Amino acid sequence: MKRHIVLVGLPGSGKTSVGKAVAEQLGASFVDVDAILARREGKAITLIFAEKGEGAFREMERKEMESALAGEPAVISPGGGWAAQPGVIDDARARALVVYLSTRPETAAQRAAPEGTRPLLTGEDPVARMRQLLKEREQFYRNAHAQVETDRRTPPQVASEVVRLAQSSAGW
């Protein structure tokens, strides 16, 4: 039986680019939780964060993930902070193969910086902030079923490894 593929990791770890490639290779739907929330609210994630606060945003994100996990098996990319909410990875593990896209803070900051849509990175030293986020979140990320290193690898290379995991461990 096919299970969802949920990609977790720091902003800039490749959840969206790898997720789209994995979905295409598997013939699955791709669910980008941040994109859904931005579309529903009619504004960028940074504005949702600024106007409603992180707590309200995380609750919206949690509900959207629950909805995605209740649907047909898909490749799901939640925001980087979703996984750092206590218990959510454990809950997702029952219905999904959870894959931690592991990235060094320096690499993640370099990849995330051009977008300017990362609410927790605005106005700060991105590398220092990524180090702090990793320190806070890694204990949660490590609850994933598998870990795939993304440093010095292209999204297609990472996607190929995730596809292999999906085929061997998630019924694809």
Side-chain angles (χ1 to χ4, degrees), residues 39-105:
R39 197 168 41 249
R40 181 178 303 138
E41 294 292 311
K43 56 188 80 166
I45 297 298
T46 50
L47 287 175
I48 299 169
F49 238 77
E51 292 173 5
K52 296 189 176 191
E54 185 174 0
F57 176 79
R58 295 295 176 213
E59 180 61 19
M60 293 166 58
E61 185 178 52
R62 188 190 61 71
K63 286 180 180 175
E64 192 56 46
M65 276 298 293
E66 277 301 313
S67 176
L69 289 167
E72 290 294 314
V75 178
I76 306 171
S77 171
W82 168 80
Q85 298 176 68
V88 297
I89 286 184
D90 291 334
D91 290 344
R93 283 173 55 102
R95 296 179 274 176
L97 173 68
V98 181
V99 180
Y100 169 29
L101 300 182
S102 175
T103 308
R104 290 175 37 251

Side-chain angles (χ1 to χ4, degrees), residues 8-168:
V8 299
L10 288 173
S13 63
K15 295 181 300 293
T16 300
S17 57
V18 169
K20 287 177 180 177
V22 170
E24 184 176 319
Q25 290 178 45
L26 294 175
S29 297
F30 176 67
V31 179
D32 184 332
V33 173
D34 280 354
I36 291 169
L37 294 176
R39 197 168 41 249
R40 181 178 303 138
E41 294 292 311
K43 56 188 80 166
I45 297 298
T46 50
L47 287 175
I48 299 169
F49 238 77
E51 292 173 5
K52 296 189 176 191
E54 185 174 0
F57 176 79
R58 295 295 176 213
E59 180 61 19
M60 293 166 58
E61 185 178 52
R62 188 190 61 71
K63 286 180 180 175
E64 192 56 46
M65 276 298 293
E66 277 301 313
S67 176
L69 289 167
E72 290 294 314
V75 178
I76 306 171
S77 171
W82 168 80
Q85 298 176 68
V88 297
I89 286 184
D90 291 334
D91 290 344
R93 283 173 55 102
R95 296 179 274 176
L97 173 68
V98 181
V99 180
Y100 169 29
L101 300 182
S102 175
T103 308
R104 290 175 37 251
E106 296 79 8
T107 304
Q110 183 180 21
R111 291 176 182 164
E115 293 187 33
T117 60
R118 319 281 183 161
L120 292 179
L121 298 179
T122 53
E124 297 189 37
D125 172 3
V127 174
R129 183 63 176 139
M130 285 292 189
R131 285 185 185 127
Q132 180 184 349
L133 289 175
L134 184 61
K135 184 177 179 185
E136 294 169 0
R137 297 174 177 178
E138 191 166 34
Q139 64 179 325
F140 298 102
Y141 293 156
R142 292 206 180 272
N143 287 328
H145 291 102
Q147 179 175 333
V148 176
E149 300 291 330
T150 70
D151 286 314
R152 294 180 295 281
R153 297 173 78 191
T154 66
Q157 290 170 326
V158 175
S160 291
E161 189 168 342
V162 174
V163 166
R164 280 193 298 277
L165 287 166
Q167 291 169 335
S168 66

